[in-house]
Amino acid sequence: MPDSYEPTERTIPTRSRERASYDRALIHSLLDETYLCHLGFVRDGAPVVLPTLYTRIDDRVYVHGSTGSRPLRMAGRPDPGLAVCLTVTHIDGLVLARSAFHHSINYRSVMIHGTARQVTDQAEKSMVLDALVDQVVRGRAQDSRPANPRELAATSVLRLELAEVSAKVRSGPPNDDPEDLELPYWTGVVPVRTIHGTPEPAPDLAPTIKVPEYLAER
Amino acid sequence: MPDSYEPTERTIPTRSRERASYDRALIHSLLDETYLCHLGFVRDGAPVVLPTLYTRIDDRVYVHGSTGSRPLRMAGRPDPGLAVCLTVTHIDGLVLARSAFHHSINYRSVMIHGTARQVTDQAEKSMVLDALVDQVVRGRAQDSRPANPRELAATSVLRLELAEVSAKVRSGPPNDDPEDLELPYWTGVVPVRTIHGTPEPAPDLAPTIKVPEYLAER
């Protein structure tokens, strides 16, 4: 595998090209760091942006949903495949410049363009359902009851190849114009982080069942 | 103003209808709690999902960008207006059920459908640029240098009416099937929160300028 994805007309930004990257390792690590994506598709000519979970396995990402959900149904008909844009965004900081104009956000995002297709192979589907659980909490899939045949049948999985994909990263302090450097405003970055708190047991959890290690370690 | 937005075919979910809400106060509060949205639009027939900042003023949301950016250019031509879907998502918890199938996420999201239009009125544009800064850090707009005419001219602002809009909320513990309640797996919710850390001054900040109160209070 080459170390980078091939840039295309869609993945070359019109502005701030220095922020774009096609590096495979960077893109994979950004995708592996979280579990929420925003999935865009077109319905009756208009865009829809759906927050949903995803997982990455090698050079593919997967999303899942009820067989009744709109994008899942649309991916299955009339020609298999649904044009999608899948975007994952990490916010790292608020960039407060001296000028309102240069205010910005430190972020790392990935945007994948492509055609999502239904996974029909049952072994692949089962593997993906495990991976979706583990994407959210590593180690959880084998510490829960796997999907039974009825649940498997009620769940659709869509596969999207990582081919037309790019990352975009902004980091570091504000970039004020030279003529603004003496202005009397505080300037810098407010770090932003997502944290996972202390697990809260369900009301009906037997008190003998303790918090598992894969949660305590987070 | 009525207390709720009117549901439409696009804003009535096909599944989990009990999670949908059209309550104006709820939708406004979800929009006011953060600053990042995912903006979907259609380009050459394919969806694009762009992470970007937004702000809400009354029953409108606004996004901005360079006059050279694709959605901003597209909104200005050939007929003014660009069909968009603007989605804002808060993640509140990881819902770990005993069965893999009932794993879920506690979230609160807002999805707005509509036509985004360029703001051409200069007073509205200036007001929105201040509001965009204050959406990220309340109080910051008046503690920074406002945009000058060159910067204003380089910035496009899009307006989107809050009309076809819905919220979706999942909260509370997992919903396991009755036959799974005796399974030996830990079950409950891992809370998720976004936190803002200690502000980091820019390397070129004069040491006499202290962290402003609107940041210290966060």
Side-chain angles (χ1 to χ4, degrees), chain A residues 200-204, chain B residues 95-97 102 104 106 170-176 187-189:
Chain A
E200 300 167 350
D204 59 4
Chain B
V95 180
L96 308 190
H102 283 296
S104 187
N106 281 341
R170 197 238 180 256
S171 62
N175 295 321
D176 264 312
T187 178
V189 174

Side-chain angles (χ1 to χ4, degrees), chain B residues 156-205:
Chain B
S156 282
V157 170
L158 295 187
R159 179 204 308 120
L160 175 63
E161 303 288 338
L162 282 176
E164 195 168 355
V165 54
S166 60
K168 232 172 139 187
V169 176
R170 197 238 180 256
S171 62
N175 295 321
D176 264 312
D177 294 328
E179 59 269 30
D180 288 336
L181 295 182
E182 302 301 318
L183 291 176
Y185 307 119
W186 187 90
T187 178
V189 174
V190 180
V192 179
R193 261 186 329 130
T194 300
I195 59 165
H196 293 84
T198 307
E200 300 167 350
D204 59 5
L205 178 67

Side-chain angles (χ1 to χ4, degrees), chain A:
Chain A
M1 278 288 188
D3 290 342
S4 287
Y5 295 102
E6 198 66 48
T8 71
E9 193 267 342
R10 288 201 284 199
T11 62
I12 297 174
T14 45
R15 303 172 47 250
S16 303
R17 290 196 183 184
E18 74 288 356
R19 293 185 187 168
S21 168
Y22 309 91
D23 185 78
R24 173 176 267 108
L26 172 69
I27 287 168
H28 288 193
S29 86
L30 292 183
L31 290 173
D32 294 351
E33 198 180 311
T34 188
Y35 39 79
L36 179 80
C37 69
H38 281 80
L39 181 72
F41 57 98
V42 180
R43 180 173 175 245
D44 299 335
V48 179
V49 177
L50 202 67
T52 192
L53 300 176
Y54 71 93
T55 189
R56 178 187 73 85
I57 301 175
D58 300 330
D59 277 284
R60 295 169 164 181
V61 292
Y62 296 89
V63 297
H64 75 320
S66 157
T67 48
S69 82
R70 282 174 182 143
L72 280 302
R73 284 203 319 257
M74 290 167 71
R77 55 146 206 205
D79 270 335
L82 175 71
V84 297
C85 177
L86 189 155
T87 299
V88 172
T89 308
H90 304 271
I91 298 288
D92 296 325
L94 315 177
V95 181
L96 308 190
R98 295 168 179 93
S99 62
F101 186 75
H102 283 296
H103 275 61
S104 187
I105 296 283
N106 281 341
Y107 66 93
R108 293 165 296 143
S109 65
V110 172
M111 194 183 286
I112 311 167
H113 300 273
T115 301
R117 293 180 199 281
Q118 293 256 15
V119 172
T120 51
D121 181 84
Q122 293 305 304
E124 185 179 3
K125 199 167 152 180
S126 288
M127 179 186 69
V128 170
L129 293 180
D130 279 355
L132 280 157
V133 170
D134 276 344
Q135 179 95 16
V136 179
V137 177
R138 207 163 307 274
R140 179 66 185 177
Q142 64 169 28
D143 191 37
S144 56
R145 175 178 67 68
N148 61 34
R150 183 180 49 81
E151 292 166 342
L152 269 175
T155 307
S156 282
V157 170
L158 296 186
R159 179 204 308 119
L160 175 63
E161 302 287 338
L162 283 176
E164 193 168 357
V165 53
S166 61
K168 233 175 138 185
V169 176
R170 197 245 180 251
S171 62
N175 295 320
D176 265 311
D177 294 328
E179 58 269 32
D180 288 334
L181 295 182
E182 301 301 318
L183 290 177
Y185 307 119
W186 187 90
T187 178
V189 173
V190 180
V192 179
R193 258 185 332 130
T194 300
I195 59 164
H196 294 84
T198 307
E200 300 167 350
D204 59 4
L205 177 68
T208 51
I209 302 181
K210 300 302 176 200
V211 173
E213 256 182 46
Y214 55 77
L215 285 180
E217 284 167 359
R218 293 176 75 91

Side-chain angles (χ1 to χ4, degrees), chain B residues 28-29 44 61 94 130 176 189:
Chain B
H28 288 193
S29 86
D44 298 335
V61 292
L94 315 178
D130 279 354
D176 264 312
V189 174

